[in-house]
Amino acid sequence: MRNGTGLGNYGRTLVNDLARVAPDDWQLRLYAPDAGRDDLRRQVTEAERLSFVYPQHRPLKLQRSLWRIGSIVDDLQRDGVSLYHGLTGELPQGLQHAGIRSVVTIHDLIFMRHPEYYHWIDRKIYEWKFRVACREADRVIAISQRTKEDVMELGGVSADRIDVIYQSCSPRFAETVSREQMETVRSRYGLSERFILSVGSIEERKNILLAVEALHHLPQNVYLVAVGRQTGYSQKVLKIAEERGLAGRVHFLHGVPDADLQALYQMAEVFVYPSRYEGFGIPIIEAIHSGLPVVAATGSCLEEAGGPDCLYVDPDDAEALAAAVSQLLRGAEGREQRIQRSREYVRRFEGCDVAGQVMDVYRRVLELPARL
């Protein structure tokens, strides 16, 4: 309940949807190292058969980390858990030995595909957790076909153990925000009337510099708003923008609450997502639900997320990005038709359908013969 990025959103949205479709005699327990952030925990809708479970007598962060990767199994046995789902790409060691069935969702293997974006220690830890998950899991859920291919190639997992189930998107993004709320948000962040939007951690892999460079080729009154956790890369990009006379047209926002994010999506003209590599790209789905046309980068799985009516460009071609954005600005021919067709495409990611597919995986796992 501390992760405010796509990984955390995946878990909270899926848990809410599972609580609606699970059989009446199922109990859902959400195991977490601690209560986390109040605002994120409140995104999990209260339900009679859904409960939170935290480790007892483990006040230190290291103790909670060790619980998460191993000793949680004792609590699962104590609580009579039949099936454990690792929502964030990892499973504790010992599940097989304890006779507890398991499913793991693998979101991406960027740390193996692009190790240059990670500290070597983090990379080793992530890889070790991935190997454990592949060994322990009865079934693997991949959030895209591209991720499935990566799990097969880099994890040695056979295709018949992997199910591709796309991420669902919170339904709140399809809810219309009032004009008054939009103007309040515009005033709060000092935003211009016209802007293109990007959402995601502002780090090198996300490649927001390409969108900054594209501003050179767009009308002077079109700005860029990038929402996400800031890193050292943020300062690098801002310095380059200043050197090129673009600093006044670039807004980096972080710590944006959900209600404001929803308004920002609906205020923007175009959504841009120039990331070099993603496991899926849930912000694209959020943008489409919000009524935005999308331009994304080629090279990973973003075409799977956005569908054929979004536009895709090389992640190193700023002019191509600008040309694609120009085709989608308000008033551009065919813009509204693209938005409508994209909305039809992303219906496949609606929550209950995704949760239903996950429930099917659970049932199949619980029907497997006992391990020897």
Side-chain angles (χ1 to χ4, degrees), residues 169-235:
C169 171
S170 173
R172 71 180 184 275
F173 291 103
E175 299 169 359
T176 302
V177 174
S178 70
R179 175 58 58 182
E180 182 181 31
Q181 185 179 348
M182 289 186 189
E183 291 309 315
T184 297
V185 170
R186 189 186 306 280
S187 176
R188 179 176 296 139
Y189 299 108
L191 302 180
S192 62
E193 185 66 29
R194 303 186 69 192
F195 63 87
I196 59 176
L197 177 69
S198 187
V199 175
S201 298
I202 302 172
E203 58 188 60
E204 188 172 1
R205 172 176 60 86
K206 299 287 189 179
N207 196 30
I208 195 64
L209 180 58
L210 190 76
V212 173
E213 292 173 336
L215 290 175
H216 270 304
H217 311 284
L218 291 169
Q220 290 290 317
N221 64 342
V222 174
Y223 291 64
L224 168 67
V225 175
V227 179
R229 178 179 61 86
Q230 297 193 33
T231 66
Y233 174 72
S234 311
Q235 297 307 310

Side-chain angles (χ1 to χ4, degrees), residues 51-252:
S51 58
F52 289 87
V53 183
Y54 309 119
Q56 300 178 0
H57 312 301
R58 289 177 171 85
L60 301 179
K61 183 177 180 180
L62 177 59
Q63 291 176 310
R64 295 194 296 271
S65 296
L66 292 174
W67 172 82
R68 182 173 174 172
I69 64 174
S71 52
I72 186 177
V73 174
D74 295 333
D75 291 352
L76 300 177
Q77 289 182 297
R78 175 201 67 201
D79 297 339
V81 171
S82 302
L83 184 148
Y84 180 84
H85 185 173
L87 297 170
T88 58
E90 59 183 83
L91 290 175
Q93 293 191 93
L95 287 171
Q96 283 194 33
H97 182 74
I100 299 172
R101 295 296 186 187
S102 64
V103 175
V104 66
T105 297
I106 302 295
H107 296 261
D108 62 66
L109 295 178
I110 300 169
F111 54 91
M112 298 176 76
R113 284 293 186 204
H114 289 280
E116 66 273 17
Y117 296 136
Y118 296 83
H119 190 285
W120 71 270
I121 293 177
D122 293 334
R123 189 172 69 246
K124 291 296 183 183
I125 292 172
Y126 296 154
E127 185 170 349
W128 175 78
K129 288 182 177 181
F130 170 59
R131 302 294 180 195
V132 170
C134 290
R135 184 173 67 246
E136 292 281 354
D138 289 292
R139 293 203 69 79
V140 174
I141 292 175
I143 64 167
S144 68
Q145 183 63 35
R146 182 58 179 261
T147 297
K148 175 179 179 177
E149 293 167 1
D150 284 351
V151 172
M152 292 169 59
E153 177 184 345
L154 301 175
V157 179
S158 61
D160 59 7
R161 281 181 60 206
I162 306 172
D163 298 281
V164 175
I165 301 178
Y166 293 109
Q167 289 181 260
S168 57
C169 171
S170 173
R172 71 180 184 275
F173 291 103
E175 299 169 359
T176 302
V177 174
S178 70
R179 175 58 58 182
E180 182 181 31
Q181 185 179 348
M182 289 186 189
E183 291 309 315
T184 297
V185 170
R186 189 186 306 280
S187 176
R188 179 176 296 139
Y189 299 108
L191 302 180
S192 62
E193 185 66 29
R194 303 186 69 192
F195 63 87
I196 59 176
L197 177 69
S198 187
V199 175
S201 298
I202 302 172
E203 58 188 60
E204 188 172 1
R205 172 176 60 86
K206 299 287 189 179
N207 196 30
I208 195 64
L209 180 58
L210 190 76
V212 173
E213 292 173 336
L215 290 175
H216 270 304
H217 311 284
L218 291 169
Q220 290 290 317
N221 64 342
V222 174
Y223 291 64
L224 168 67
V225 175
V227 179
R229 178 179 61 86
Q230 297 193 33
T231 66
Y233 174 72
S234 311
Q235 297 307 310
K236 173 185 173 182
V237 173
L238 285 174
K239 183 178 179 181
I240 293 173
E242 185 175 351
E243 291 171 351
R244 299 181 184 180
L246 295 169
R249 296 174 64 189
V250 177
H251 298 273
F252 281 178

Side-chain angles (χ1 to χ4, degrees), residues 278-320:
E278 293 292 327
F280 183 59
I282 196 67
I284 290 178
I285 313 301
E286 294 172 351
I288 293 171
H289 274 300
S290 301
L292 275 178
V294 173
V295 181
T298 58
S300 57
C301 65
L302 299 182
E303 292 93 338
E304 285 185 69
D309 288 288
C310 296
L311 299 178
Y312 304 92
V313 300
D314 186 291
D316 292 306
D317 193 336
E319 289 190 32

Side-chain angles (χ1 to χ4, degrees), residues 293-294 306-312 328 337-342 345:
V294 173
D309 288 288
C310 296
L311 299 178
Y312 304 92
L328 300 176
Q337 290 82 359
R338 283 186 180 275
I339 292 172
Q340 183 57 39
R341 290 194 297 265
S342 293
Y345 176 85

